[in-house]
Amino acid sequence: MPGMVLFGRRWAIASDDLVFPGFFELSLRVVWWIGILTLYLLHRGKLDCAGGTLLSSYLIVLLVLLAVIICTLSAIVCVSMKGTICNPGPRKSMAKLLYIRLALFLPEMVWASLGAAWITDDIECDKTVVSGIIATVIVSWIIIVSTVVTIIIVFDPLGGKMTPYSSAGPSHLDSPESNQLLNGLKTAATSVWETRVKLLCCCVGKDDHTRVAFSSTAELFSTYFSDTDLVPSDIAAGLTLLHQQQDSIRSSQEPEAVVSHSPGPPQEADLDAELENCHHYMQFAAAAYGWPLYIYRNPFTGLCRIGGDCCRARTAEYDLVGGDWLSCHFGSVLQTTGLQYRDLIHVSFHDRVYELPFLVALDHKKESVVVAVRGTMSLQDILTDLSAESESLNLECGVQDCLAHKGISQAAGYVYQRLINDGILSQAFSIAPEYRLVVVGHSLGAGAAALLAIMLRSTHPQVRCYAFSPPGGLLSKSLYEYSKTFIVSLVLGKDVIPRLSVTNLEDLKKRILRVIAHCTKPKYQILLRGCRYELFGGNPDNFPTELDGGAQGHLTQPLLGEQSLLTHGSPTYSFSSDSPLESPAKYPPLYPPGRIIHLEEEGTGGRFCRAAARYSARWAHGSQFSKILIGPKMLTDHMPDILMKALDSVVSDRAAYVFCPPGGGANVDVV
């Protein structure tokens, strides 16, 4: 931080990012130089053959050229190790060193080409010498090609649009010229991100929904990244420091009573009942994923169990079930839920942007009609997730300010239209009119299930929803409060998705900026120690993240660009909220749905191993998910199979506790 400026443009790499790649190339060059020197000294007497003079000259010049490159790389590594992330002053000579290093590629390419040409001639010399020179030519070209690929990767399409930073301060931004330049940069950034998204999702299609999703995703990304001068390694270092800071704060806190009194029997019984319901209905949420999740959970036996359904012809029972794109999914649904053919009303794996797969089944055990919506499993689903601006809902629920995540509300509306207009729910309740309606889902499916339950509540007042690992940025405050009466969400550990919203991402960005600005260590040390800490743990207290008293003056670069990348503000930049992402009109604060049951791992356990993990369950307030927590399990805690194992564990433990309370005492859940 900031990105390096070379050839008059900004690149997506900082001057302190060259320690590891520079050291790697330096090690390779040193070994290569020693090998060539050994080859020359041991076999120079065998170079008196035809063409040997050319080969001898090639080796000598290559040794000299490599020595110069090694010296340059040594200087680059040493300079890159200086300073801190936000204090690039000690690395101001890096640009000149890189110009020298890039200039050395020209004679290296010429010499590698000459070496290749000479080797192709009929040179009658010792085979060992010829083979060694062939190896040097190959290595030369590998390094050259790798450098070209690296340049392509760190190329920033917007780098050429940045203007020299003014020393006059941010006041010049009020001029019409600056505003016009800023708007042009924002437009260019959105266009670049839209191109990137289209390339990544080139096989998705080009319908109207897809085009809207592309634009929405591009605007979100361009807005989120436009007001910082961070490079990817800065974000990695910031996340590493945040994790250690977070663990340090937690370990320094004295043990506290999480509740001031023992929960009463009604609250305890309610938690046990809802956990049992979650345990039951999670099977339907998992079944909505179809055969991929089933095979993943049963790698040795899954294919044998459902393989027949993939190949056999449609049976009469099969034809009784409505839906499309069933293929191998049908057998996995039956295996996961334990239902029969006659219990399935509709199974659809039709998947497009804003259109999610879902299934409808009769659950005789709980006497319910279950609607299960699938979570994220395709690029189309990811585009639905990333359409994160808010959208007003037209609901007959008497709640003001009905706002929700646009992409998920569109997906819920699609399922709603299918259920009502296609008569799917009518068919289900004609078979079992006394059953109640239950809507379930995991991840994206959990968000769509929650909104679907809200939409259906006017016609089905007894509807219940179980949302497993739902997205955090889903409902406005009023809808969140309204949903508590009929929606239960289940969250495991540090799962990032229930904490993920536009406002929480903005908060995470500010925390990253703050912690890297206050760290007194160079980036390479942060990343090295971070890798060791993530893999093996350790003491987070011995790595300072706050500047000493008089060290604040050493910051020579801003923490945030005052306006995008057009200007650098003061080192004392205020972390006040002025980001476009915090616009209340487009990106208001959104919350996860319903009452939330939080499963937390007891004890320290392994950092990645879950074989002996034990969990406790408690009711949690939505405010506990207002910050993104950093940890090695923040992603794995979201996986449906991990959640199912944790749910199995906590339900069995609580059942054993009910029947065999310690000391014969009352059953009290201390949370």
Side-chain angles (χ1 to χ4, degrees):
M1 180 183 182
M4 290 188 61
V5 178
L6 295 171
F7 304 106
R9 65 175 299 119
R10 179 190 181 275
W11 296 77
I13 188 172
S15 56
D16 55 355
D17 285 339
L18 302 174
V19 176
F20 300 120
F23 183 78
F24 176 77
E25 185 182 356
L26 178 62
S27 302
L28 182 63
R29 297 281 187 177
V30 169
V31 172
W32 185 13
W33 187 84
I34 294 174
I36 294 175
L37 181 62
T38 303
L39 177 69
Y40 178 75
L41 293 178
L42 293 179
H43 299 280
R44 58 182 175 180
K46 301 177 182 179
L47 294 175
D48 53 357
C49 54
T53 304
L54 288 177
L55 297 184
S56 177
S57 301
Y58 175 79
L59 291 177
I60 293 174
V61 173
L62 186 59
L63 284 171
V64 175
L65 183 59
L66 282 176
V68 176
I69 292 175
I70 288 171
C71 292
T72 305
L73 288 173
S74 301
I76 288 174
V77 172
C78 291
V79 171
S80 186
M81 296 171 70
K82 296 180 179 179
T84 62
I85 296 178
C86 289
N87 181 24
R91 303 188 297 271
K92 59 184 178 182
S93 60
M94 180 60 72
K96 297 178 181 178
L97 290 173
L98 286 179
Y99 286 137
I100 295 173
R101 175 66 191 93
L102 291 173
L104 289 173
F105 273 112
L106 181 59
E108 186 176 14
M109 290 178 63
V110 171
W111 209 242
S113 301
L114 290 176
W118 290 336
I119 288 298
T120 55
D121 291 340
D122 295 330
I123 297 178
E124 300 177 357
C125 290
D126 185 77
K127 291 185 177 181
T128 303
V129 178
V130 175
S131 299
I133 294 177
I134 291 175
T136 63
V137 172
I138 293 174
V139 172
S140 295
W141 281 109
I142 289 176
I143 292 179
I144 292 170
V145 172
S146 300
T147 303
V148 173
V149 172
T150 302
I151 291 174
I152 294 174
I153 292 174
V154 301
F155 177 79
D156 184 358
L158 297 173
K161 295 185 177 295
M162 60 178 292
T163 59
Y165 299 126
S166 171
S167 60
S171 60
H172 72 288
L173 292 172
D174 296 331
S175 64
E177 293 80 5
S178 296
N179 290 330
Q180 183 177 0
L181 199 58
L182 176 61
N183 292 332
L185 180 61
K186 289 180 178 179
T187 302
T190 303
S191 176
V192 166
W193 276 108
E194 188 166 354
T195 301
R196 290 171 174 171
V197 173
K198 286 180 178 179
L199 287 175
L200 289 173
C201 306
C202 57
C203 57
V204 169
K206 297 182 180 180
D207 57 89
D208 291 340
H209 283 170
T210 304
R211 283 190 286 270
V212 171
F214 283 157
S215 300
S216 179
T217 303
E219 186 172 357
L220 175 66
F221 283 158
S222 63
T223 306
Y224 185 75
F225 292 107
S226 66
D227 59 348
T228 66
D229 200 5
L230 294 175
V231 297
S233 61
D234 295 334
I235 298 175
L239 292 174
T240 295
L241 290 173
L242 279 180
H243 184 205
Q244 296 173 59
Q245 184 186 72
Q246 170 187 298
D247 289 354
S248 177
I249 293 174
R250 179 173 300 174
S251 62
S252 65
Q253 290 176 341
E254 297 182 359
E256 57 181 2
V258 182
V259 293
S260 58
H261 60 278
S262 298
Q267 181 180 353
E268 178 68 13
D270 184 40
L271 179 59
D272 284 330
E274 294 297 4
L275 276 172
E276 197 279 328
N277 286 333
C278 288
H279 184 252
H280 176 77
Y281 287 115
M282 182 62 200
Q283 305 301 321
F284 290 87
Y289 280 99
W291 68 263
L293 179 60
Y294 182 78
I295 296 294
Y296 177 76
R297 293 181 60 211
N298 304 275
F300 301 109
T301 61
L303 189 58
C304 296
R305 292 178 181 176
I306 68 172
D309 289 305
C310 300
C311 304
R312 74 166 62 106
R314 294 170 64 99
T315 63
E317 293 88 352
Y318 191 103
D319 289 330
L320 294 176
V321 180
D324 45 12
W325 300 92
L326 298 183
S327 63
C328 301
H329 297 298
F330 199 73
S332 67
V333 171
L334 296 176
Q335 291 286 342
T336 303
T337 60
L339 300 178
Q340 303 297 320
Y341 283 97
R342 63 179 180 273
D343 299 326
L344 296 176
I345 304 300
H346 191 92
V347 181
S348 171
F349 280 88
H350 167 81
D351 187 15
R352 295 176 66 182
V353 178
Y354 301 156
E355 298 176 4
L356 299 179
F358 67 97
L359 64 89
V360 180
L362 299 179
D363 177 22
H364 303 296
K365 181 178 180 180
K366 293 287 187 178
E367 295 187 345
S368 58
V369 174
V370 181
V371 179
V373 187
R374 196 190 74 179
T376 302
M377 272 203 69
S378 66
L379 290 175
Q380 292 93 326
D381 299 336
I382 293 174
L383 289 173
T384 301
D385 285 317
L386 293 175
S387 299
E389 64 263 36
S390 63
E391 180 177 72
S392 295
L393 302 180
N394 185 18
L395 301 173
E396 299 177 2
C397 60
V399 176
Q400 300 295 325
D401 191 28
C402 294
L403 298 176
H405 183 290
K406 175 185 175 180
I408 301 178
S409 67
Q410 292 282 329
Y414 161 78
V415 179
Y416 177 85
Q417 293 296 327
R418 291 287 306 275
L419 293 176
I420 303 302
N421 294 348
D422 294 355
I424 299 174
L425 280 187
S426 299
Q427 178 186 353
F429 282 108
S430 67
I431 300 173
E434 71 282 5
Y435 283 13
R436 69 171 181 173
L437 179 62
V438 177
V439 189
V440 302
H442 173 267
S443 187
L444 169 61
L451 284 170
L452 180 60
I454 294 174
M455 296 174 181
L456 290 168
R457 187 165 168 78
S458 60
T459 55
H460 297 80
Q462 302 303 316
V463 65
R464 297 284 294 175
C465 174
Y466 292 93
F468 303 97
S469 305
L474 183 66
L475 304 177
S476 60
K477 183 69 172 178
S478 57
L479 271 183
Y480 159 66
E481 295 293 341
Y482 171 74
S483 67
K484 287 183 178 180
T485 58
F486 59 97
I487 297 178
V488 173
S489 294
L490 186 73
V491 178
L492 174 63
K494 294 182 179 179
D495 186 354
V496 67
I497 300 302
R499 297 173 170 86
L500 196 61
S501 66
V502 174
T503 51
N504 287 0
L505 278 174
E506 185 68 14
D507 170 74
L508 176 65
K509 179 172 67 175
K510 292 182 178 180
R511 287 192 287 147
I512 289 175
L513 290 163
R514 185 177 292 110
V515 76
I516 64 177
H518 289 167
C519 186
T520 59
K521 300 295 183 181
K523 188 190 298 182
Y524 78 95
Q525 291 186 17
I526 298 173
L527 295 176
L528 280 176
R529 189 182 186 281
C531 289
R532 185 170 66 251
Y533 183 79
E534 296 298 335
L535 291 174
F536 308 108
N539 181 13
D541 296 329
N542 57 9
F543 202 86
T545 58
E546 298 295 327
L547 287 174
D548 296 332
Q552 287 282 1
H554 293 165
L555 293 178
T556 60
Q557 299 293 343
L559 309 182
L560 281 171
E562 186 68 25
Q563 292 284 341
S564 188
L565 296 175
L566 294 178
T567 182
H568 275 230
S570 165
T572 59
Y573 179 90
S574 170
F575 287 92
S576 60
S577 172
D578 61 353
S579 169
L581 286 182
E582 296 189 346
S583 167
K586 196 162 192 176
Y587 299 106
L590 299 177
Y591 304 88
R595 294 186 299 162
I596 302 173
I597 299 176
H598 192 198
L599 304 184
E600 292 185 285
E601 187 174 351
E602 296 178 337
T604 54
R607 298 184 75 80
F608 296 97
C609 180
R610 295 178 180 267
R614 297 178 65 88
Y615 300 89
S616 61
R618 64 183 179 86
W619 289 110
H621 193 271
S623 60
Q624 295 178 239
F625 303 92
S626 60
K627 283 186 179 295
I628 295 175
L629 300 181
I630 310 301
K633 296 180 181 179
M634 60 186 294
L635 297 179
T636 56
D637 279 343
H638 185 69
M639 300 298 293
D641 60 311
I642 300 296
L643 179 60
M644 294 176 76
K645 292 177 182 177
L647 197 52
D648 290 341
S649 172
V650 73
V651 169
S652 61
D653 287 349
R654 290 178 70 88
Y657 187 79
V658 168
F659 288 106
C660 302
N667 174 25
V668 177
D669 180 32
V670 180
V671 294

